[in-house]
Amino acid sequence: MFSQSEENYLKAIYQLSSITKDGVSTNDIAKKLETKASSVSDMIKRLSEKKLIEYKKYYGVRLTKEGEHIACSVVRKHRLWEVFLVDKLNFSWDEVHDVAEQLEHIKSPKLIEELDAFLGFPKKDPHGDPIPDKHGNYHVVEKTLLSNLHPGEKGICIGVKDSSSDFLKYLDRQAVKLGDEIAVMAKEDYDDSIHIKIDKRELNISKKIASNLYIQTP
Amino acid sequence: MFSQSEENYLKAIYQLSSITKDGVSTNDIAKKLETKASSVSDMIKRLSEKKLIEYKKYYGVRLTKEGEHIACSVVRKHRLWEVFLVDKLNFSWDEVHDVAEQLEHIKSPKLIEELDAFLGFPKKDPHGDPIPDKHGNYHVVEKTLLSNLHPGEKGICIGVKDSSSDFLKYLDRQAVKLGDEIAVMAKEDYDDSIHIKIDKRELNISKKIASNLYIQTP
DNA sequence: ATAAATTTTTAGACTTGTCTAATTTTTAAA
DNA sequence: TTTAAAAATTAGACAAGTCTAAAAATTTAT
Ligand SMILES: [Mn+2]
Ligand SMILES: [Mn+2]
Ligand SMILES: [Mn+2]
Ligand SMILES: [Mn+2]
């Protein structure tokens, strides 16, 4: 069994790996986990000795098969718990993350498989992120950022890039939800803001907002 | 916030306190937590500095109001999670303990209150133990051990004293459940075994079994 | 190609929680 | 009441995980 701390490092490396094909850098891990690079260096050594990552000094790390398996199962647990909190316990999507950070470390294979079944084998978490099945497989859906759409184009809002509480609450206030159809009406060159039509309403949103919303491209 | 380890010590002291009015001894805590007396001594010092227990060297410990409050909330969480596992996730009553030992340390007031509501505010856990409400109040039910009943007496089985997996599985095999009416037919002086009638069946059980079953006395 | 800046690693310290072995204190027995 | 046994504490060590400050390696800029 692995400690919560080890699992957090593996998960961080797993998520950072998905956005680059190079090894993951010490500093990036430190930033993601809000810790110091020296702490990361220490942990990297331990994980490497346990064969959970491949590590060449000064050149970043990569997960081994086993490391990836563990990281993926932590992500699976995190997202399933988020679904549980929203679907069954009346949490809103901006409240679930911190609790899921704790719940993802509970060790019990039966628990997670039963939870999965209890929730009806959901494929996505409340933020639109895919939930790996028990073998680590998940469906990758073609998507782009709203900021990449041109006037006249449209699509379905299927996820958020930033899932910070602040951003999610902003979306709630604007009544922007996953599943909504969004059409880009116009772009303002001066500040890159865009005018959209969503659910029969018209809305003006900043570049920053648009570049944190994922749109399903048909 | 307190660490898992601190919470485990507080819970152990809380549960040991309920069976004696004296202070709880170092050795008893060590036995309950399957750790060494020296470790207990160390932790006792820390908890005492944090004003969670009152401690006079060599004379055992008592929880302060705050210590009791924390301990009680851990017990509440443990038992609510046990109900969740049995009622919603198809766990049997002998499988829940280890998972609940982990879940009881999750920190989120909203989580536990919502879970309580989701489960319909249960009053008892799967082993018949009372679940304190959010203020720490619970209903104490008059009960005695089956081994204290005399031939001709009867009552409802409402709890187990030993909730080890081995004992619970034994009860499953004999189809003895909480809520069953049990009548004592005869006692065998030679080995203190007793002959009972339960749910229309007749059964012979040892002294050891009888002294681990709680019976509601009318 | 050398120097400067950045990144990464190491050295050393600290906290929490645990252990074994030795010592002290209390309790029970003679 | 002195002695023996049991219980509790202390001393000292260790592992995990983290941090600051310093050193080393790599990358970038001149
Ligand atoms: Mn999350
Ligand atoms: Mn999520
Ligand atoms: Mn339990
Ligand atoms: Mn229980």
Side-chain angles (χ1 to χ4, degrees):
Chain A
M1 280 307 112
F2 302 95
S3 71
Q4 299 205 178
S5 193
E6 288 171 325
E7 289 186 344
N8 284 335
Y9 276 91
L10 293 174
K11 188 177 67 155
I13 296 166
Y14 178 80
Q15 290 174 341
L16 291 167
S17 296
S18 73
I19 53 181
T20 166
K21 60 242 145 272
D22 302 340
V24 176
S25 78
T26 302
N27 264 359
D28 286 352
I29 299 170
K31 192 173 297 174
K32 178 136 210 170
L33 293 178
E34 293 177 283
T35 184
K36 298 290 141 112
S38 55
S39 307
V40 175
S41 250
D42 287 347
M43 179 58 91
I44 276 175
K45 254 173 272 166
R46 280 192 292 272
L47 294 176
S48 179
E49 272 158 30
K50 295 187 178 185
K51 309 274 189 216
L52 298 172
I53 59 180
E54 280 167 41
Y55 169 50
K56 199 179 137 221
K57 257 190 193 176
Y58 290 100
Y59 291 93
V61 299
R62 252 175 244 282
L63 293 174
T64 61
K65 265 274 157 310
E66 192 189 353
E68 188 179 329
H69 178 254
I70 294 162
C72 181
S73 110
V74 173
V75 167
R76 168 169 160 78
K77 289 191 276 181
H78 182 104
R79 293 180 181 165
L80 280 173
W81 280 115
E82 287 190 341
V83 172
F84 171 70
L85 295 172
V86 168
D87 285 8
K88 306 292 183 182
L89 298 196
N90 303 115
F91 277 62
S92 58
W93 65 345
D94 62 288
E95 295 175 312
V96 297
H97 188 75
D98 293 347
V99 187
E101 283 295 315
Q102 301 177 60
L103 286 162
E104 72 189 5
H105 301 293
I106 302 292
K107 267 108 182 152
S108 166
K110 176 164 169 119
L111 171 61
I112 203 63
E113 298 321 318
E114 291 286 348
L115 181 65
D116 196 14
F118 180 63
L119 298 172
F121 304 103
K123 298 281 166 290
K124 306 222 161 190
D125 85 356
H127 313 103
D129 294 313
I131 300 175
D133 69 17
K134 80 175 92 172
H135 309 293
N137 305 311
Y138 57 91
H139 204 66
V140 184
V141 104
E142 200 67 28
K143 67 190 178 194
T144 187
L145 291 171
L146 176 54
S147 53
N148 295 329
L149 293 196
H150 301 294
E153 295 182 319
K154 64 182 178 181
I156 308 288
C157 179
I158 56 154
V160 291
K161 182 160 176 229
D162 171 13
S163 56
S164 72
S165 187
D166 280 348
F167 180 54
L168 299 175
K169 278 186 191 149
Y170 166 87
L171 295 179
D172 281 345
R173 282 195 300 276
Q174 303 292 338
V176 175
K177 312 178 301 299
L178 301 193
D180 286 350
E181 188 184 77
I182 298 181
V184 177
M185 311 295 285
K187 273 199 171 183
E188 176 54 66
D189 277 343
Y190 179 64
D191 63 354
D192 287 316
S193 70
I194 65 177
H195 194 73
I196 61 174
K197 186 166 178 185
I198 174 172
D199 195 32
K200 283 158 197 145
R201 291 170 298 133
E202 300 205 2
L203 206 61
N204 228 47
I205 62 177
S206 71
K207 162 88 170 173
K208 183 170 178 187
I209 302 297
S211 51
N212 276 303
L213 284 174
Y214 285 122
I215 302 295
Q216 184 162 30
T217 52
Chain B
M1 280 306 112
F2 302 96
S3 71
Q4 299 206 179
S5 192
E6 288 171 326
E7 289 187 344
N8 284 336
Y9 276 91
L10 292 173
K11 187 177 70 155
I13 296 166
Y14 177 81
Q15 289 174 339
L16 291 168
S17 296
S18 72
I19 53 180
T20 165
K21 61 244 144 271
D22 302 340
V24 177
S25 78
T26 301
N27 265 358
D28 286 352
I29 299 170
K31 192 174 295 172
K32 178 136 210 171
L33 293 178
E34 293 177 283
T35 184
K36 297 292 142 107
S38 55
S39 306
V40 175
S41 252
D42 288 346
M43 179 59 90
I44 276 175
K45 254 172 272 167
R46 280 193 290 270
L47 294 176
S48 178
E49 273 158 28
K50 295 187 179 185
K51 311 273 190 218
L52 299 172
I53 58 180
E54 280 167 40
Y55 169 51
K56 201 179 135 220
K57 255 191 194 175
Y58 290 100
Y59 291 93
V61 298
R62 252 175 244 282
L63 293 173
T64 61
K65 264 275 157 306
E66 192 190 352
E68 188 178 329
H69 177 254
I70 294 163
C72 182
S73 109
V74 174
V75 167
R76 167 169 160 78
K77 288 190 277 181
H78 182 104
R79 293 180 181 164
L80 280 173
W81 280 116
E82 287 190 343
V83 172
F84 172 70
L85 294 171
V86 168
D87 285 8
K88 307 292 183 182
L89 298 195
N90 303 115
F91 277 62
S92 58
W93 65 344
D94 62 288
E95 296 176 310
V96 297
H97 189 74
D98 293 347
V99 188
E101 283 295 316
Q102 301 176 60
L103 287 163
E104 72 189 4
H105 301 293
I106 302 292
K107 268 105 181 156
S108 166
K110 174 162 170 121
L111 172 62
I112 203 64
E113 299 321 319
E114 291 286 349
L115 181 65
D116 195 13
F118 181 62
L119 298 172
F121 304 102
K123 296 281 166 292
K124 306 221 160 192
D125 85 356
H127 312 103
D129 294 313
I131 299 174
D133 69 18
K134 80 175 91 174
H135 309 293
N137 305 311
Y138 57 91
H139 204 66
V140 183
V141 104
E142 200 66 30
K143 67 190 178 193
T144 188
L145 292 171
L146 176 55
S147 53
N148 294 329
L149 294 196
H150 301 293
E153 296 182 319
K154 64 182 177 181
I156 308 289
C157 179
I158 55 155
V160 292
K161 183 160 174 229
D162 171 15
S163 56
S164 72
S165 186
D166 281 347
F167 180 56
L168 299 176
K169 278 186 192 147
Y170 167 87
L171 294 179
D172 282 345
R173 283 196 299 276
Q174 302 292 338
V176 174
K177 312 177 301 298
L178 301 194
D180 286 349
E181 188 184 76
I182 298 181
V184 177
M185 312 296 285
K187 273 200 172 182
E188 176 54 65
D189 277 343
Y190 178 66
D191 64 355
D192 288 316
S193 70
I194 65 176
H195 193 74
I196 62 174
K197 187 166 178 184
I198 174 172
D199 195 33
K200 284 157 196 145
R201 290 170 298 133
E202 300 205 1
L203 206 61
N204 228 46
I205 62 177
S206 71
K207 161 88 170 172
K208 183 170 177 187
I209 301 296
S211 50
N212 277 304
L213 284 174
Y214 285 122
I215 302 296
Q216 185 164 29
T217 53

